């Protein structure tokens, strides 16, 4: 499972946890997050996120 970060505000999306508040269940891979989904903190779209490398 991967982790993604918003390049604008730094909000983190973890595939393992999903984002149930927006109807995205745990285990949802980034490519399966709807294309019109936006960052819950600042409202930018998926294009403004990048994968974190650990």
């Amino acid at each position: 499972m991967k982790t993604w970060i918003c390049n604008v505000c730094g909000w983190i999306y973890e595939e393992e946890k999903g984002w149930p508040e927006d109807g995205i269940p745990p285990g949802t891979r980034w490519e399966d997050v709807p294309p019109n989904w936006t960052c819950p903190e600042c409202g930018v779209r998926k294009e403004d996120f990048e994968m974190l490398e650990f």
Side-chain angles (χ1 to χ4, degrees):
M1 304 251 84
K2 297 176 183 167
T3 301
W4 298 79
I5 187 168
C6 176
N7 289 325
V8 175
C9 72
W11 187 83
I12 302 284
Y13 174 79
E14 297 174 76
E15 293 179 341
E16 184 176 316
K17 294 181 180 178
W19 191 245
E21 293 88 338
D22 278 350
I24 302 170
T28 302
R29 299 206 179 274
W30 185 247
E31 58 266 17
D32 297 326
V33 171
N36 62 344
W37 179 83
T38 57
C39 176
E41 289 293 317
C42 70
V44 298
R45 298 176 69 92
K46 283 178 61 177
E47 300 86 47
D48 291 308
F49 280 74
E50 68 180 53
M51 187 176 61
L52 284 177
E53 305 276 346
F54 291 102

